[in-house]
Amino acid sequence: LMCLLPAQTGDTKPEDWRERLSQEDPAAVSAAVQEAVRAQDVTAAVPLLEAGAKTDAPWLSIACGDALARLPLESGGVLAIPGFPRGLQKLLGAQKKIRIDVHRGLARVLGAWAHPSVDQLLASLCEAQRDPAVRVEALFMAGGLPATDAQPYPLTRVLIAQALRPPKGRVKDQAAAARVQAAACSAAARRGLTDEVPQLASIVCTSQDEFAGLYALEALRHLGWDRGIDRFVRVVTGNPLAPTRAANLKAITTLARPQDAPVLLGLTRDTSVDVRDAATLALARLAPKLESPTRIVERLVHLVLRARMWQVRDAARRGLLRLGERARAKVREDMPAGLRSPK
């Protein structure tokens, strides 16, 4: 977006862009950010930090963080920048009526900056005593930090792990707590925190929120879950709440492996149409990977012909199409000509 704005021409005094960084017009601030980068003046760090924290435009907060990353820093990190500690404390102690918005903007700036020194600062915004809206923003940005073995950003890593756990004590706002947990799931996936896989699986199996369980499931998929679907089958064949059931049905569909085919075949006979649908969808997804699909083909053909629910019939149809030539003989043998795909 910054590239789309017109370049500034003529001689521009440093005071000009410093003043425009404090304006409310995002376009003017964005142009001033570009000039600050061109100036390569490390004293621009505090004005950029304040502009990014106070703006209502998330993209502009990110732009300020990117600009900070392009400034030359001396040894000692960000806290060695003249005026930085004082400017930071001023933002952290913002007036109550604007504090949440300022802290959310600050999290965006720090996450986009991604200097090793910001690990502690961003971690402080992830802590449990912060407002849930601030924690969500900080956790999301912490998930995008370019962690490596040499620079692991250890403090935000610990806070991400803590946010995956259920909060201690009485929770006043369950919905807000679930949003924090969902943000932590996203961060864990993007940071590649494979040691959090057991906790993520626990969230899928127990979360009663309509989003947190799905975020945890996507994190498991991203991190390469390879432990089968038995846990999720036990949940859906019990009597879970609707959000928990939905996440575990999707887990069956998404995380099933070829070796789970016998379990899936059994689930296609379950009394619940949702379970039958999920199992059939999983078989359809796995169809190209199955080495000996004879029993699978027979069952899918049966479901196309006999299943009462159209969702199950459609999932079985897709599985047969994915099997292609390996299903052709059985389809020609058992299906009326009018039901066969012309291809």
Side-chain angles (χ1 to χ4, degrees):
L1 289 172
M2 291 176 63
C3 295
L4 299 178
L5 294 172
Q8 299 296 308
T9 59
D11 296 330
T12 304
K13 298 180 180 179
E15 294 78 10
D16 293 340
W17 58 258
R18 287 179 189 277
E19 292 177 0
R20 282 186 282 119
L21 280 174
S22 61
Q23 294 182 9
E24 295 184 0
D25 180 16
V29 175
S30 180
V33 169
Q34 295 178 67
E35 292 176 31
V37 172
R38 285 195 291 270
Q40 287 292 284
D41 183 353
V42 73
T43 62
V46 175
L48 285 169
L49 184 73
E50 293 177 346
K54 294 178 180 179
T55 181
D56 294 331
W59 64 267
L60 190 52
S61 297
I62 302 297
C64 289
D66 289 339
L68 285 164
R70 296 167 64 183
L71 293 181
L73 288 183
E74 302 293 337
S75 60
V78 298
L79 295 180
I81 298 174
F84 188 91
R86 181 179 179 182
L88 180 65
Q89 289 302 318
K90 182 179 178 181
L91 294 172
L92 291 175
Q95 295 180 8
K96 187 174 182 180
K97 63 181 181 180
I98 62 171
R99 185 177 302 162
I100 293 175
D101 290 337
V102 169
H103 287 184
R104 292 176 68 195
L106 181 60
R108 297 185 192 110
V109 176
L110 295 174
W113 191 353
H115 188 276
S117 301
V118 309
D119 184 43
Q120 181 179 359
L121 304 176
L122 193 55
S124 72
L125 296 176
C126 296
E127 292 176 346
Q129 66 266 30
R130 299 290 183 185
D131 185 273
V134 175
R135 295 186 71 197
V136 167
E137 201 74 49
L139 287 164
F140 182 81
M141 297 306 297
L145 292 175
T148 62
D149 292 339
Q151 178 51 55
Y153 297 92
L155 298 179
T156 48
R157 188 249 174 274
V158 169
L159 268 296
I160 291 170
Q162 289 179 3
L164 289 172
R165 273 71 184 170
K168 297 179 181 179
R170 184 179 179 183
V171 179
K172 296 181 180 179
D173 189 340
Q174 292 287 352
R179 289 194 294 272
V180 170
Q181 193 175 58
C185 291
S186 172
R190 289 178 289 127
R191 287 280 288 268
L193 304 185
T194 53
D195 50 346
E196 296 300 332
V197 162
Q199 178 60 26
L200 290 165
S202 176
I203 295 172
V204 175
C205 293
T206 61
S207 176
Q208 298 178 7
D209 180 74
E210 60 180 326
F211 296 116
L214 295 176
Y215 271 90
L217 170 59
E218 179 58 22
L220 288 179
R221 188 197 64 78
H222 184 84
L223 295 172
W225 173 268
D226 61 354
R227 307 181 191 184
I229 58 173
D230 290 346
R231 291 187 65 174
F232 313 117
V233 171
R234 287 196 295 271
V235 173
V236 299
T237 53
N239 188 31
L241 295 178
T244 310
R245 182 180 179 84
N248 284 268
L249 286 170
K250 189 168 180 62
I252 292 172
T253 302
T254 305
L255 302 179
R257 309 162 299 171
Q259 51 265 51
D260 295 317
V263 176
L264 294 171
L265 278 173
L267 291 177
T268 62
R269 296 175 171 83
D270 194 87
T271 56
S272 167
V273 64
D274 290 335
V275 175
R276 296 198 301 272
D277 184 30
T280 307
L281 284 170
L283 288 172
R285 182 180 63 82
L286 293 172
K289 303 177 182 180
L290 299 174
E291 295 181 0
S292 180
T294 303
R295 291 180 58 200
I296 306 297
V297 171
E298 293 176 351
R299 183 60 183 161
L300 293 178
V301 169
H302 175 84
L303 291 173
V304 170
L305 295 173
R306 306 290 183 185
R308 294 183 178 182
M309 302 300 294
W310 71 266
Q311 298 97 322
V312 177
R313 294 196 302 271
D314 184 63
R317 176 189 64 83
R318 279 185 277 172
L320 291 171
L321 290 173
R322 288 182 178 180
L323 283 164
E325 287 296 328
R326 293 189 292 173
R328 185 182 295 276
K330 186 64 176 176
V331 168
R332 287 186 177 277
E333 177 184 346
D334 289 8
M335 283 191 179
L339 293 182
R340 302 177 200 158
S341 170
K343 297 183 180 181

